[in-house]
Amino acid sequence: MRTVPRIAGLTAPLVLGVAVPSLVAQAPVAPAPAAQVTAIRAGRLLDPETGTIANNQVILIEAGKFGQIGPNVAIPRGAEVIDLSELTVLPGPVDSHNHLALTYKKVPENDYYYLTYVMESSPLRAIQAASNGMQMLSAGFTILRDLGNNANYVDTALREAIEQGWLPGPTIINSGLIIGGTGGQFWPTPEMAIDHKIVYPEYLDADTPDEIVKAVRQNALFGAKVIKICVDCKPWGYSVEDMKLFIKEAGRIGLRVAGHVQTVDGARRAIEAGIWSIEHDLGLTDELHKLMAQKGIFRAGTETPITLTGHTNQASYQRTVAGLKNAYENKVLITYSTDADYYIPGKSRGQVAIEFIETWKAAGIPTADILRAMTITGYKVCELEKVRGPIKTGLIADLIAVPGNPLQSIDALRNVQFVMKDGVVFKRNGVMTPEAFFHGGPVNGWSVR
Ligand SMILES: [Zn+2]
């Protein structure tokens, strides 16, 4: 995981007269019982990189990381053996675009999320986020980019709570507040925006170069791991020069810039500026896909399936399917992304997120490539591929298991029976068993930020 230079927190412990642990950034590795080895017997082990399956593999896990993996690996005496010989083991998928601390609903807000901001407090939304995170993990999503609209830095709090060891959840790359021109994604009234600041804390205003630099630094200070901007939420939007400044300032801190884009002009400017990822497919054309492929810009298209009634319509869906197909054919770096930030009665947050495979199937993308987008490209857009994601010796031990063969039918991912996160079992036999994740304190260190 990338480390972000620390700024605050040096003096307070001295004042209190207590010993000061090192404030050097710690790798957020979750707890694993000392010297305890876990051995997983995998009936089938799927490698999304090559699109192949190896039968009857043994996977050793020690201190939260993958050890030896292979058909003839000796299981150490005293190891806990987990039998997944009837299942296919594979790396966890990534949702490259979600908002865990936002859940708008038919009742009472008629799916109009401006009202959610007004009606639900940051503390309530933080608790919802903790629940949503566990629901996503139960559906197999071990990594997630959480891109704003998360009240007052609730996304940072959630990430820190997971990394410190308070509770289970996906590994989170969070953006803090979305930075945009005044008003963010809304068209607020002056009374509400200026007198009551009701647009906030959902958006951080930055209209000038000075404000852009300041906004990036504020988000970094308050725990953002990626910078999210509104490229064209207003007709004036950000210019190429504005976005280059965002990219430069974020880059100095080690952060990438993700851009919400909803117009062709906005997409063109964002691509020209060299943005890291484009969120949503609204502004993307064949010509722009070609440019994205050339420049290696990630696409988080948030392709809502027609099966999620009320969240798209036939015309948009057809356009979205055609766009995804075109992006695939142009070899764009396509990620699996959902923007699944609403409640659908009868479905968990994770079940809503996995439903998006319907759009990918409709676009005719081969199953192996859907899996690659969900895993390999997802790890890359998060820049985590050398830390976690792939099932490889030395990486942090995250994996899932499903019946059937996801290379034959991607629908196998709807039935995640087993989830391991940081080497700890989160779900077994289709039932969440997260007790080992809960602690009465920050077992990985209070200073993990
Ligand atoms: Zn979104």
Side-chain angles (χ1 to χ4, degrees), residues 97-99 147 149 228 280 339 341:
H97 185 124
N98 206 310
H99 308 274
L147 296 181
N149 293 138
K228 166 89 175 288
H280 314 298
D339 215 6
D341 49 6

Side-chain angles (χ1 to χ4, degrees), residues 90-96 136-137 139-144 170 336 354 370-371 373-376 378-379 389 399-400 413 416:
L90 70 158
V94 180
D95 185 347
S96 297
M136 290 296 288
L137 189 55
F141 293 94
T142 51
I143 299 175
L144 183 147
Y336 188 83
I354 202 65
I370 301 178
L371 267 177
M374 295 179 94
T375 55
I376 309 293
Y379 309 144
L399 58 77
I400 68 170
L413 294 185
V416 171

Side-chain angles (χ1 to χ4, degrees), residues 87 95 106 111 154 172 178 193 195 207 214 233 238 260 291 308 352 361 383 418 423 444:
L87 301 177
D95 185 347
K106 201 80 198 158
D111 286 330
V154 161
I172 290 183
I178 299 171
D195 300 341
D207 288 298
K214 188 166 184 173
C233 293
Y238 283 130
H260 166 106
L291 285 174
L308 294 179
V352 175
K361 285 156 61 181
E383 292 189 295
F418 181 90
N444 297 327

Side-chain angles (χ1 to χ4, degrees), residues 196-218:
H196 297 287
K197 301 203 177 304
I198 208 161
V199 177
Y200 314 98
E202 301 300 328
Y203 298 96
L204 186 51
D205 288 346
D207 288 298
T208 66
D210 281 355
E211 288 170 355
I212 285 171
V213 170
K214 188 166 184 173
V216 169
R217 291 180 189 177
Q218 174 178 318

Side-chain angles (χ1 to χ4, degrees), residues 33-306:
Q36 174 63 52
V37 177
T38 304
I40 291 178
R41 288 188 185 282
R44 298 172 295 275
L45 176 59
L46 193 160
D47 179 2
E49 190 131 35
T50 55
T52 56
I53 282 184
N55 292 320
N56 301 321
Q57 301 287 299
V58 172
I59 304 166
L60 296 186
I61 294 123
E62 188 169 6
K65 290 188 172 177
F66 289 120
Q68 284 181 286
I69 302 166
N72 300 313
V73 171
I75 296 179
R77 199 178 323 187
E80 182 199 356
V81 178
I82 296 172
D83 182 11
L84 303 179
S85 54
E86 299 300 313
L87 301 177
T88 301
V89 172
L90 70 158
V94 180
D95 185 347
S96 297
H97 185 124
N98 206 310
H99 308 274
L100 292 184
L102 172 63
T103 307
Y104 55 86
K105 310 170 287 300
K106 201 80 198 158
V107 179
E109 63 262 53
N110 198 28
D111 286 330
Y112 186 44
Y113 57 88
Y114 187 90
L115 293 180
T116 319
Y117 303 151
V118 176
M119 296 176 72
E120 297 189 347
S121 66
S122 290
L124 174 60
R125 288 171 61 187
I127 294 166
Q128 294 169 352
S131 175
N132 281 332
M134 286 186 245
Q135 294 171 50
M136 290 296 288
L137 189 55
S138 180
F141 293 94
T142 51
I143 299 175
L144 183 147
R145 281 202 312 168
D146 204 348
L147 296 181
N149 293 138
N150 283 319
N152 199 9
Y153 291 99
V154 161
D155 52 331
T156 296
L158 177 66
R159 179 181 58 70
E160 290 177 354
I162 292 168
E163 291 181 1
Q164 290 183 1
W166 286 100
L167 81 173
T171 294
I172 290 183
I173 303 295
N174 67 300
S175 73
L177 305 189
I178 299 171
I179 304 171
T182 298
Q185 278 175 265
F186 299 140
W187 292 91
T189 60
E191 294 87 344
M192 291 296 114
I194 294 168
D195 300 341
H196 297 287
K197 301 203 177 304
I198 208 161
V199 177
Y200 314 98
E202 301 300 328
Y203 298 96
L204 186 51
D205 288 346
D207 288 298
T208 66
D210 281 355
E211 288 170 355
I212 285 171
V213 170
K214 188 166 184 173
V216 169
R217 291 180 189 177
Q218 174 178 318
N219 269 351
L221 174 64
F222 296 143
K225 298 296 179 187
V226 62
I227 297 298
K228 166 89 175 288
I229 66 172
C230 254
V231 170
D232 53 3
C233 293
K234 298 289 173 287
W236 45 96
Y238 283 130
S239 67
V240 174
E241 290 313 307
D242 289 336
M243 283 186 271
K244 282 186 172 167
L245 180 57
F246 269 114
I247 292 163
K248 182 175 162 215
E249 187 60 26
R252 279 189 344 104
I253 312 173
L255 305 179
R256 305 295 189 176
V257 178
H260 166 106
V261 172
Q262 59 192 47
T263 65
V264 176
D265 279 352
R268 193 185 304 279
R269 296 198 302 274
I271 292 165
E272 188 183 336
I275 205 156
W276 182 252
S277 65
I278 289 189
E279 311 300 312
H280 314 298
D281 61 1
L282 294 165
L284 299 176
T285 61
D286 176 64
E287 180 207 353
L288 295 180
H289 280 150
K290 288 182 164 66
L291 285 174
M292 285 174 75
Q294 253 174 41
K295 297 188 85 164
I297 294 171
F298 291 94
R299 183 189 199 267
T302 64
E303 299 87 359
T304 308
I306 193 73

